[in-house]
Amino acid sequence: ESGQLPELPKYVKVVEVGPRDGLQNERVIVPTDIKIEFINQLSQTGLSVIEVTSFVSSRWVPQVAAGATEISVFGAASESFSKKNINCSIEESMGKFEEVIKSAAQMNIPARGYVSCALGCPYEGSITPQKVAEVSKRLYGMGCYEISLGDTTGVGTPGSMKRMLECVMKEIPPAALAVHCHDTYGQALANILTALQMGVNVVDSAVSGLGGCPYARGASGNVATEDLIYMLHGLGIDTGVNLYKVMEAGDFICKAVNRTTNSKVAQASFSALGS
Amino acid sequence: MGAFPKQVKIVEVGPRDGLQNEKMADHTEVLKGIQKFPGINYPVLTPNLKGFEAAVAAGAKEVSVFGAASELFTQKNINCSIEESFRRMGGVLEAARAAGIPVRGYVSCVLGCPYEGKISPAKVAEVAKKLYSMGCYEISLGDTIGVGTPGLMKDMLSAVMRDVPVAALAVHCHDTYGQALANTLVALQMGVSVVDSSVAGLGGCPYAQGASGNLATEDLVYMLTGLGIHTGVNLQKLLEAGDFICQVLNRKTSSKVAQASCKL
């Protein structure tokens, strides 16, 4: 019976979203030089993808001029969320994304697609897996090389993660999928494990679990990169990341934003050192 | 993927394990003072015969004994070897059998030891098997310092399940490294249907100051409910109990569900 647990990937790519997603949702504004230092520290950890910042304009020129080598577009599996967040319907947003992705492609700049509310919406409540698959398929069809499926409010559990992925994987190969789980209800690692068991091998996370949940004040948001790496390494999965260096970067940024870390691994490790 | 159990029994260890960092000296008063509802078991920890006798006198109807899969941990914790600890537990188990009182066995350090480091699954299986054969009706396997990850949980359970039926097993995961729910999920996938947790995640980790300890019951119930697994637990009432005790202890909850819920 025990031999029937699904095989896990041998390598997982960890996409670090702390500097953008994380800092964007922190209360304290971080000075530019600190952000740069933070990102430079993360560059020393072995992380191969670090989401640096956000150029929210729909015009891509400033991004390219600043040296961007990759762009991201944010869709949602919920009409209400789309309207409240970017002031247009899902259909309208797809039109805009198509333009951006096409232009970027002409300059050989790859695009990553995000789908918010993949496991639930703060306004609509439950979201059907079919809707998530539909939106993901469109973004993939437009040329996004990877689709990151986000549990925006962290309400998902392993069952809903499994059902959603089963549906999405009918339209998109697992190799092109990533999961972006929030830890608002403490479910992130369990949900990520489920995704890994289904063949996903790209996971978004934020060092120190930076970034609260904007929909529930005081609640936590992103899953902590340290805790994710701890699990992956414990599972014998290669990430290329040095956990200790990530913890150092986490310690640096927490001091800069004047907050305690959301990473349990960091809490345990620094406590042990201190005692 | 392995099918999940349809129903999971949650063993709430908050009042003992969670508050142990505070004192348990008022054990008789507490046991006598609480309302005992039908259909609810109220086990008490009895590490030795004297404790057992006092517990029975105070009205205990179920007791627990603690073993460990690590020699060093046993030495440091109760000042004797694993073998000697079996002899002591044997005394309690005999008396309990005579009194018709069920005994639950705990095995500490099943995924790692603060002193020995790695623990072999075979050692855990050996200790679990011994406790089960001595008469414990259920064996709770504890990741005492929370260092375990899902692969280690799988390997450990595979070994134990060769000697103890899965229906008699429970897992007691600590969240010191944030791994508790993921580890619990794997245990469920392997057929375990009893899980220990502590409301509000009460109880820090005594081996790392400031680090967290028990898995929060609210977060566990949230996951099980989301999985369509029956628990019989009312999350709202649980949140209220967690809020009550955190106010008394003047501490913040360790439950993410509680943190998210009170702000909505």
Side-chain angles (χ1 to χ4, degrees):
Chain A
E1 189 184 320
S2 60
Q4 262 141 38
L5 280 191
E7 279 289 307
L8 296 171
K10 299 226 170 343
Y11 172 82
V12 164
K13 176 173 84 175
V14 175
V15 176
E16 174 59 43
V17 302
R20 201 286 300 167
D21 188 339
L23 292 184
Q24 186 150 318
N25 286 299
E26 286 291 327
R27 257 175 268 187
V28 173
I29 298 181
V30 176
T32 310
D33 60 339
I34 303 267
K35 278 187 195 169
I36 290 172
E37 170 60 28
F38 175 46
I39 294 167
N40 287 343
Q41 283 194 22
L42 289 173
S43 293
Q44 299 299 318
T45 62
L47 285 162
S48 62
V49 183
I50 301 167
E51 189 185 55
V52 168
T53 188
S54 177
F55 291 76
V56 183
S57 167
S58 57
R59 294 166 62 243
W60 46 265
V61 173
Q63 309 172 54
V64 173
T69 51
E70 181 174 320
I71 61 154
S72 303
V73 293
F74 274 76
S78 151
E79 280 294 354
S80 317
F81 188 86
S82 194
K83 293 219 176 76
K84 297 228 183 196
N85 221 35
I86 53 175
N87 236 349
C88 61
S89 69
I90 295 181
E91 191 56 44
E92 285 165 334
S93 73
M94 291 294 139
K96 298 185 190 193
F97 297 149
E98 185 142 35
E99 268 179 58
V100 172
I101 295 168
K102 254 201 198 126
S103 317
Q106 274 160 11
M107 307 191 62
N108 279 325
I109 293 177
R112 190 187 208 226
Y114 284 80
V115 180
S116 301
C117 299
L119 298 179
C121 170
Y123 311 108
E124 286 181 18
S126 38
I127 296 292
T128 68
Q130 287 74 17
K131 192 69 187 172
V132 181
E134 185 192 310
V135 175
S136 306
K137 184 179 181 181
R138 292 210 47 196
L139 289 174
Y140 188 64
M142 284 177 208
C144 289
Y145 75 92
E146 195 168 84
I147 308 296
S148 173
L149 304 161
D151 181 12
T152 305
T153 44
V155 293
T157 48
S160 58
M161 172 63 84
K162 180 172 181 239
R163 286 188 293 276
M164 183 275 294
L165 283 176
E166 272 169 352
C167 213
V168 173
M169 285 179 179
K170 286 190 194 121
E171 312 288 354
I172 300 179
L177 292 175
V179 290
H180 184 119
C181 297
H182 278 187
D183 205 36
T184 319
Y185 292 84
Q187 309 295 304
L189 274 188
N191 291 342
I192 289 167
L193 180 63
T194 302
L196 295 175
Q197 288 180 335
M198 294 180 71
V200 171
N201 65 357
V202 181
V203 183
D204 299 357
S205 61
V207 68
S208 297
L210 284 183
C213 173
Y215 305 96
R217 273 189 82 76
S220 65
N222 285 307
V223 67
T225 302
E226 299 92 319
D227 300 0
L228 169 66
I229 302 281
Y230 186 92
M231 180 174 82
L232 295 175
H233 287 183
L235 281 164
I237 294 173
D238 183 31
T239 63
V241 179
N242 181 320
L243 175 56
Y244 195 75
K245 291 204 167 144
V246 173
M247 287 201 286
E248 286 181 322
D251 189 49
F252 170 80
I253 197 62
C254 282
K255 292 194 163 89
V257 301
N258 193 28
R259 60 162 287 173
T260 51
T261 181
N262 262 347
S263 157
K264 294 246 167 131
V265 170
Q267 281 166 30
S269 306
F270 289 121
S271 300
L273 286 173
S275 60
Chain B
M1 197 183 297
F4 291 108
K6 294 216 172 359
Q7 179 164 301
V8 162
K9 177 176 85 174
I10 296 179
V11 177
E12 173 60 45
V13 301
R16 200 280 305 164
D17 189 342
L19 293 181
Q20 180 139 316
N21 290 2
E22 334 317 316
K23 305 246 184 249
M24 288 286 121
D26 55 354
H27 38 63
T28 303
E29 224 182 301
V30 169
L31 191 52
K32 286 192 169 159
I34 59 173
Q35 271 182 287
K36 298 196 185 70
F37 293 90
I40 302 181
N41 293 347
Y42 299 95
V44 299
L45 183 56
T46 56
N48 51 45
L49 199 50
K50 248 175 127 175
F52 173 78
E53 284 159 0
V56 173
K61 297 279 184 281
E62 181 177 324
V63 300
S64 312
V65 295
F66 269 73
S70 153
E71 279 293 352
L72 263 179
F73 186 87
T74 306
Q75 284 289 349
K76 298 237 181 192
N77 227 30
I78 54 175
N79 234 349
C80 66
S81 67
I82 293 182
E83 196 55 45
E84 173 59 31
S85 76
F86 287 151
R87 273 192 283 275
R88 295 183 191 179
M89 278 186 264
V92 174
L93 279 153
E94 250 184 72
R97 194 180 318 127
I101 288 181
V103 182
R104 190 187 209 227
Y106 284 81
V107 182
S108 302
C109 298
V110 300
L111 299 182
C113 169
Y115 311 107
E116 285 186 18
K118 282 205 172 90
I119 294 292
S120 78
K123 190 70 186 175
V124 182
E126 185 192 310
V127 175
K129 181 180 182 178
K130 180 77 181 171
L131 290 179
Y132 187 64
S133 69
M134 281 166 64
C136 293
Y137 77 92
E138 195 168 86
I139 309 296
S140 173
L141 304 163
D143 180 13
T144 306
I145 41 172
V147 290
T149 43
L152 292 181
M153 172 63 84
K154 178 186 174 219
D155 292 342
M156 184 275 295
L157 283 176
S158 298
V160 174
M161 279 162 57
R162 284 189 211 118
D163 293 320
V164 180
V166 68
L169 292 176
V171 290
H172 186 121
C173 298
H174 277 187
D175 206 35
T176 320
Y177 292 84
Q179 309 296 305
L181 261 192
N183 291 341
T184 300
L185 181 66
V186 166
L188 296 173
Q189 288 177 331
M190 293 183 70
V192 171
S193 63
V194 183
V195 182
D196 300 357
S197 59
S198 178
V199 68
L202 282 190
C205 174
Y207 305 94
Q209 271 282 337
S212 67
N214 284 306
L215 166 61
T217 305
E218 300 93 316
D219 300 0
L220 170 65
V221 169
Y222 188 92
M223 181 176 82
L224 295 174
T225 307
L227 277 164
I229 294 174
H230 176 68
T231 63
V233 176
N234 179 320
L235 182 55
Q236 187 50 46
K237 296 234 164 108
L238 191 60
L239 287 166
E240 284 166 24
D243 188 48
F244 169 77
I245 198 63
C246 283
Q247 300 226 26
V248 169
L249 291 172
N250 193 27
R251 60 160 278 176
K252 289 208 191 100
T253 180
S254 288
S255 155
K256 292 254 166 120
V257 170
Q259 284 166 30
S261 306
C262 67
K263 307 292 197 260
L264 287 172

